[in-house]
Structure formats: C-alpha cells, structure tokens
C-alpha cells in the first residue's frame, strides 16, 4: 500500500501531470456513460426481443419477467464496466500514461530507453496483452461465481477472495506500462507478480475497493499509474541505472529483487540452453 501513497504524493507534487493523466480516464468515463445510457434506454426493447414467449402473458407476470430481465441486464452491464474500466482507460491512454510513467522514472534518476516500437505497434501489443489478462481474470471470475453458491463460505470467504483476485489483475494491468518499457512479455509479468502475490494484492486490492466509489477511479488513475511505475522500478531494477540502493526490507536489510533475464538464443558454455527467469 506504500506504493499507492508514493504514487499519489508524486502526482500531488506534479499537478500538470495529474491533469494530463486525467484525460484518458475522462474519455473512458464519457464512453462508458454513453454506453450505459444507451443500454438503459433500449433495455425495454431488448427485454421484449429476448422474451418473445412472454408476449401472450397477462399482467403482472409479463411485466415482472421483463422488469427482472432489465434489472439483470443493466446490473451485468454495470459490473462489466467496473471490471473493464481500468483496462480500457489504459488502452485509450497508452501514449498519455507512457509519458507520465517516463516522467516518474526520470524524476527517480533513470528511465529505461524502451523497446523502440512505433505507436501503432505499442497499442496493438497493449490490446493483445489486455485480452490475455482479461481472459485469465474471466476464468477466475467464473470459478468464484460457482463457488459463491456454497453455503456460508460463498457469502463470506469467496467475496473476499474475489476482491483479492481482482486486485492482483488490476496490479497486472497498472504495471503494464512500465513492464512494456522493459520489454517484459505478459506471461513473464504474470509469473513475476505471482511470485510476489502479497505485493501485487496489497497494491491492487485497495484500488479495487476505492474504484467502487463513483468517479474516484478518474481522480486516482494518474497516481495509480505513478505508484505502479515506482513498484516496477523496485521489483525489476534496471542494470544500467547505476548503483542505486534497493529499498530496505522489513528487517532493515536491503531487499534485492531478482532482475528479469531475457531469453538467450544459444546454449551456454556448458552446452545447456539457459531459461528466461527471475
């Protein structure tokens, strides 16, 4: 949670970048508001189209069925909006958040040069990675939905686990910008954050809870990206950054995170082909 505070403090000290970072979230908010408004306006027609078997039903059963369908349809749309808002905002704001993340890294002393891909290629990679992460998150969502029908556990433990799972994947999404700059593929990002589950969950879960408050996601998103950048700097130190001292761990010692090792194309001196790892 310290990274959340550090990111918001960085943004508070750089007000121009806070306003700059608000733009993608505001654009996404307008798009989602328009989509939800259209869904609300046309939900009655959608309910009638989806339930033709109820055309001959009398009152009040037809109204009750279609009213329930409208409520479930809008609730599903709202839930989908909450789950995808961050990913869509990051996709829209890729150039914005790339510049913001670079500024954060420069203010900390060193910014990795990045893979040097053109903008259209960066957006295509971001879209592909977003789909990859969302499919994994959807798999967990289906599993937790089914577990929610278990007595007692489904109403107590499963929702808490669900928030933690959402927090983990939100951390994956927010660290994407800084990870892509280091040219770390999405599968390796997931593996790295799985190895530090407490760090990822502790960063993402408070944001999931805060994002449930209307409009708060728009305000906090720039600071969340800044905090995620600071997290990645400590998690995957850049060898070319000089003799930067790692942060002290709980016992006062400097924590030395393992650096990302890119895959090598040929066998090593012993004839064994090395693996990419952490």
């Amino acid at each position: 949670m310290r990274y959340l505070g550090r990111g918001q403090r960085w943004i508070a000290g750089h007000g121009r970048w806070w306003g700059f970072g608000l733009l993608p979230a505001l654009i996404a908010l307008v798009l989602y508001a328009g989509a939800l408004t259209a869904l609300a306006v046309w939900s009655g027609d959608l309910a009638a189209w989806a339930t033709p078997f109820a055309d001959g039903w009398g009152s009040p059963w037809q109204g009750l069925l279609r009213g329930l369908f409208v409520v479930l349809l809008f609730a599903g749309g709202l839930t989908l909006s909450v789950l995808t808002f961050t990913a869509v905002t990051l996709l829209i704001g890729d150039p914005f958040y790339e510049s913001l993340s670079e500024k954060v890294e420069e203010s900390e002393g060193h910014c990795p040069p990045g893979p040097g891909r053109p903008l259209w290629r960066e957006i295509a990679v971001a879209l592909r990675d977003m789909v990859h992460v969302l499919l994994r998150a959807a798999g967990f969502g289906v599993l937790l939905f089914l577990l929610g029908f278990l007595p007692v556990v489904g109403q107590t433990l499963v929702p808490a686990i669900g928030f933690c799972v959402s927090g983990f994947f939100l951390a994956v999404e927010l660290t994407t910008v800084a990870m892509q700059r280091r040219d770390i593929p999405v599968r390796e990002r997931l593996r790295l954050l799985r190895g530090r589950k407490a760090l990822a969950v502790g960063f993402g879960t408070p944001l999931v809870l805060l994002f449930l408050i209307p409009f708060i996601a728009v305000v906090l998103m720039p600071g969340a990206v800044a905090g995620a950048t600071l997290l990645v700097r400590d998690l995957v130190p850049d060898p070319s950054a000089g003799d930067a001292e790692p942060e002290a761990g709980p016992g006062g010692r400097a924590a030395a995170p393992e650096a990302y090792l890119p895959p090598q194309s040929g066998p090593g001196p012993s004839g064994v082909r090395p693996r990419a790892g952490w």
Side-chain angles (χ1 to χ4, degrees):
M1 293 178 64
R2 184 175 69 243
Y3 288 104
L4 294 178
R6 288 178 61 190
Q8 298 302 328
R9 283 197 303 272
W10 191 94
I11 284 294
H14 301 77
R16 184 173 69 88
W17 285 96
W18 179 73
F20 183 76
L22 282 180
L23 293 176
L26 287 172
I27 294 170
L29 181 65
V30 170
L31 292 175
Y32 274 96
L36 289 173
T37 300
L39 182 63
V41 170
W42 297 99
S43 58
D45 294 333
L46 287 172
W49 172 80
T51 58
F53 55 85
D55 288 342
W57 290 12
S59 179
W61 306 114
Q62 184 190 82
L64 287 174
L65 174 68
R66 290 180 174 171
L68 178 62
F69 183 90
V70 167
V71 170
L72 292 175
L73 182 65
F74 192 78
L78 193 61
T79 302
L80 186 64
S81 299
V82 172
L83 291 175
T84 59
F85 180 83
T86 300
V88 172
T89 301
L90 289 172
L91 183 64
I92 293 172
D94 186 75
F96 294 86
Y97 292 137
E98 179 66 30
S99 299
L100 171 60
S101 181
E102 285 180 1
K103 185 65 177 178
V104 172
E105 300 226 48
E106 288 171 2
S107 71
E108 293 295 308
H110 176 75
C111 179
R117 289 188 289 259
L119 178 60
W120 70 268
R121 177 62 179 164
E122 288 286 352
I123 294 176
V125 170
L127 180 60
R128 182 196 65 196
D129 292 352
M130 180 189 75
V131 171
H132 182 90
V133 173
L134 285 178
L135 287 175
R136 286 176 175 259
F140 278 98
V142 171
L143 176 61
L144 291 169
F145 175 76
L146 296 175
L147 291 175
F149 290 101
L150 295 175
V152 183
V153 175
Q155 292 75 49
T156 54
L157 184 61
V158 171
I161 294 174
F163 279 117
C164 292
V165 170
S166 298
F168 175 85
F169 283 107
L170 181 58
V172 173
E173 291 285 356
L174 289 171
T175 55
T176 292
V177 175
M179 293 279 199
Q180 281 182 340
R181 187 179 302 112
R182 289 156 174 82
D183 206 19
I184 301 177
V186 63
R187 295 180 188 276
E188 300 295 338
R189 290 177 227 155
L190 287 164
R191 183 157 51 137
L192 175 60
L193 289 173
R194 280 200 305 268
R196 299 290 300 276
K197 289 186 184 70
L199 178 65
V201 171
F203 178 78
T205 304
L207 280 172
V208 170
L209 296 173
L210 288 170
F211 283 5
L212 294 176
I213 304 172
F215 306 112
I216 200 70
V218 176
V219 177
L220 294 183
M221 185 62 79
V225 172
T229 301
L230 295 171
L231 185 152
V232 171
R233 284 181 64 85
D234 292 339
L235 191 63
V236 190
D238 186 2
S240 63
D243 300 327
E245 289 293 331
E247 286 198 30
R253 295 182 181 175
E258 299 176 65
Y260 170 66
L261 302 176
Q264 301 181 22
S265 57
S270 62
V272 178
R273 187 182 298 274
R275 290 181 59 190
W278 304 99

